């Protein structure tokens, strides 16, 4: 039986596909390459030594998606990554985000129900919490009003999945693990797959590695006057391969009903610490300057990942130094390829 991975050529999707194949799962990827590249699929095959079944499909296209289920014939569960993820772009084009992220999830649920597929792992984000009152944050923290249309779509999809579950409790019962990611960084240690930002990166580590490699003049630290020990914002950075492993664990231990899980290390790290750690791990200088705060940034957040450890039997194992070395290796390979 196979797992359908929507958005399987993307950053988290590609690492998860590798982890699934290595764990013995049969993988069927759908992707429309709107924010990924076809060659990543070859790289997945290169790393795993297995061929990957693939369909170029937009998940919003119900008929075509339904044909994938019929054609593949053996899809038993789904991991749904396919979504747009740029916070800034979502502010500019909110409708595009609603149509793709919410619309795509609705279509997928409908098609899954039609084909009798009842297991879903959903790609969500800690953005659903906003700035939580208590840190580390656990899954009982309430959703705060979304900071961006992107964040709104993640909250809305979680609610749609929960509602869907209460309507479709058939003989099998719909089951879904909702995975709330903290900040995935790094790349596969082979250097063959990693994050491929289109244009100027929004996220910290790709901007940092591009700066160190000379593609950008300087990394701007968005504010050093926050109420944190060194004044810069704090996040919970986890290695992308740990995050990928969490999806395998979620499939193996899929809860009954719908249940959210925080995926992080449980430790908060500041922007200035990431810069210092990068230098220590790679011996490379990071040209940076302090700039103004970024609008909408939350001050600090890190996960209480204990539910995932207990119920999914998953824990982040790799260090942030390892993640930064892997991110740097990937950046150097990218530079070599252009
Ligand atoms: C961002 C999104 C979040 C989304 C996640 C997906 C915002 C406000 N939040 O999270 O909703 O789920 O990406 O990956 O955009 N930083 C700098 N300089 C930079 C880039 C970042 O100082 O050039 C700082 C930020 O202020 C932040 C930290 O680095 O403190 C991490 O930023 P980023 O990688 O963009 O992730 P988030 O903001 O946590």
């Amino acid at each position: 039986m196979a797992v359908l991975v929507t958005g399987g050529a993307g950053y988290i999707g590609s690492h998860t596909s590798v982890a699934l194949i290595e764990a013995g799962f049969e993988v069927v990827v759908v992707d429309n390459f709107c924010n990924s590249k076809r060659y990543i699929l070859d790289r997945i095959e290169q790393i795993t030594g297995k061929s990957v079944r693939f369909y170029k499909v937009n998940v919003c296209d119900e008929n075509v998606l339904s044909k994938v289920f019929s054609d593949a014939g053996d899809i038993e569960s789904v991991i749904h990554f396919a979504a747009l993820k740029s916070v800034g772009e979502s502010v500019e084009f909110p409708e595009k985000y609603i149509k793709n992220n919410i619309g795509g999830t609705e279509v997928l649920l409908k098609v899954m129900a039609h084909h009798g597929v009842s297991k879903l792992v959903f790609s969500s984000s800690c953005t659903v919490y906003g700035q939580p009152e208590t840190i580390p944050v656990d899954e009982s923290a309430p959703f705060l009003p979304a900071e961006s249309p992107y964040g709104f779509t993640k909250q809305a999809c979680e609610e749609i999945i929960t509602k869907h579950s209460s309507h479709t409790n058939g003989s099998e019962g719909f089951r879904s693990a909702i995975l709330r990611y903290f900040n995935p960084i790094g790349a596969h240690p082979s250097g063959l797959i990693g994050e491929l930002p289109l244009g100027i990166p929004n996220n910290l580590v790709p901007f940092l590695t591009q700066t160190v490699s000379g593609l950008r003049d300087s990394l701007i630290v968005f504010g050093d006057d926050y109420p944190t020990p060194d004044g810069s914002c704090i996040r919970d950075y986890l290695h992308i391969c740990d995050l990928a492993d969490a999806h395998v664990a979620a499939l193996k231990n899929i809860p009954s009903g719908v249940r959210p899980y925080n995926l992080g290390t449980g430790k908060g790290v500041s922007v200035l610490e990431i810069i210092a750690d990068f230098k220590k791990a790679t011996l490379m200088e990071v040209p940076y300057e302090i700039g103004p705060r970024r609008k909408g940034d939350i001050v600090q957040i890190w996960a209480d990942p204990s539910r995932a450890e207990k119920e999914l039997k998953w824990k982040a194992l790799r260090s942030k130094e390892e993640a930064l070395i892997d991110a740097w290796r990937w950046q150097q390979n990218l530079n070599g390829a252009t």
Side-chain angles (χ1 to χ4, degrees), residues 87 125 127 150 183 202-204 207 219-222 233 235 237 271 294 296-297:
V87 174
S125 163
T127 194
Y150 161 77
N183 288 59
N202 296 311
N203 296 118
L204 176 63
F207 201 104
L219 168 70
I220 311 295
V221 175
F222 296 143
C233 292
R235 298 287 185 273
Y237 298 94
V271 178
R294 178 170 70 178
D297 252 342

Side-chain angles (χ1 to χ4, degrees), residues 11-12 85-88 124-128 147-148 150-151 154 181-185 195 201-208 211 218-223 226 232-237 269-272 274-275 289 292-299 301:
Y11 176 44
I12 308 177
K85 61 168 188 181
S86 161
V87 174
S124 190
S125 163
C126 69
T127 194
V128 298
E147 298 279 359
S148 69
Y150 161 77
K154 289 294 172 194
Y181 311 148
F182 283 68
N183 288 59
I185 58 168
E195 196 164 1
N202 296 311
N203 296 118
L204 176 63
V205 170
F207 201 104
L208 185 158
T211 305
S218 183
L219 168 70
I220 311 295
V221 175
F222 296 143
Y226 284 102
S232 65
C233 292
I234 295 179
R235 298 287 185 273
D236 184 338
Y237 298 94
V269 175
S270 75
V271 178
L272 290 170
I274 286 284
I275 294 172
E289 51 199 277
R293 294 178 174 195
R294 178 170 70 178
K295 196 168 162 273
D297 252 342
I298 56 166
V299 181
I301 187 167

Side-chain angles (χ1 to χ4, degrees), residues 2-3 5 10-12 36 70 79 96 98-99 122 138-139 155 179 181 185 192 211 220 269 303 309 332:
V3 188
V5 182
Y11 176 44
I12 308 177
S36 60
S70 309
I79 305 184
K96 189 171 153 188
I98 286 164
K99 190 163 156 258
F122 179 70
D138 70 22
E139 294 83 353
Q155 293 180 337
L179 305 185
Y181 311 148
I185 58 168
L192 289 169
T211 305
I220 311 295
V269 175
E309 186 173 350
Q332 287 172 291

